[in-house]
């Protein structure tokens, strides 16, 4: 279950085993909240790259996190959320790696659609390749996110 029980080292170890088994099939790993502050986000990105992953998802929930469809989830402030994504992008650039960064926001539930869309736009502007708006409430919200965020 997506409960944040595993450490970054355990996740990277499992990712390495999966990547070795799949060989030529690109995989994206769930980096959760980045396992701490921005230094930890950079460390997580490096460990996931070393494991052989082609992408990483970093999210804006507080730690300890909850599964995205669990009631009562909370997100960090916009500034901290952006700092996590900026750290992931910086780590990719510092390592000269070709890594897809998927920036996820869980802000839709606790803060509303407008805040979630704004976070997605900011994440793209910071260098995230894709965004993931967790739990839109309708097809119209999904279509709007696609139109307004573009990634």
């Amino acid at each position: 279950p997506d409960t944040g029980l595993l450490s970054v080292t355990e996740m990277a170890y499992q990712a390495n085993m999966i990547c070795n088994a799949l060989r030529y099939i690109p995989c994206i790993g769930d980096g959760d909240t980045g396992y701490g502050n921005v230094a930890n986000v950079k460390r997580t990105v490096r460990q996931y790259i070393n494991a052989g992953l082609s992408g990483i998802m970093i999210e804006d929930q507080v730690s300890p996190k909850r599964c995205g469809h669990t009631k009562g989830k909370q997100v960090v402030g916009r500034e901290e959320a952006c700092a996590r994504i900026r750290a992931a992008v910086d780590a990719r650039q510092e390592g000269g790696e070709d890594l897809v960064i998927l920036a996820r926001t869980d802000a839709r539930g606790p803060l509303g659609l407008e805040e979630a869309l704004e976070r997605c736009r900011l994440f793209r502007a910071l260098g995230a390749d894709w965004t993931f708006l967790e739990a839109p409430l309708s097809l119209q919200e999904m279509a709007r996110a696609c139109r307004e965020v573009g990634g």
Side-chain angles (χ1 to χ4, degrees):
D2 189 14
T3 57
L5 293 176
L6 298 179
S7 70
V8 64
T9 304
E10 292 167 309
M11 289 292 286
Y13 175 77
Q14 294 299 320
N16 182 255
M17 291 185 1
I18 291 167
C19 290
N20 284 334
L22 295 177
R23 292 192 177 185
Y24 305 110
I25 300 173
C27 296
I28 296 174
D30 187 353
D32 287 331
T33 61
Y35 299 92
N37 63 22
V38 294
N40 295 102
V41 172
K42 285 185 168 190
R43 179 175 179 254
T44 299
V45 169
R46 286 191 294 269
Q47 284 191 274
Y48 279 33
I49 289 168
N50 290 339
L53 289 166
S54 299
I56 185 170
M57 181 169 65
I58 301 289
E59 63 190 68
D60 63 358
Q61 279 197 47
V62 298
S63 186
K65 63 174 294 304
R66 294 174 176 246
C67 176
H69 295 282
T70 305
K71 290 186 179 189
K73 66 182 173 183
Q74 298 176 327
V75 294
V76 297
R78 190 187 289 182
E79 186 175 312
E80 184 176 342
C82 287
R84 288 179 184 175
I85 302 309
R86 188 177 303 110
V89 170
D90 288 348
R92 172 180 63 188
Q93 291 172 341
E94 290 164 7
E97 299 293 335
D98 184 18
L99 179 79
V100 170
I101 295 176
L102 173 54
R104 169 179 159 166
T105 183
D106 284 79
R108 172 62 187 96
L111 301 178
L113 181 62
E114 297 306 320
E115 177 63 19
L117 289 171
E118 182 59 22
R119 286 179 185 226
C120 287
R121 286 188 284 268
L122 289 168
F123 296 163
R124 290 280 291 144
L126 290 168
D129 300 292
W130 301 331
T131 60
F132 176 1
L133 192 157
E134 171 66 21
L137 298 180
S138 66
L139 288 174
Q140 291 78 15
E141 286 189 5
M142 284 191 281
R144 183 174 170 200
C146 291
R147 255 190 338 270
E148 293 183 20
V149 177

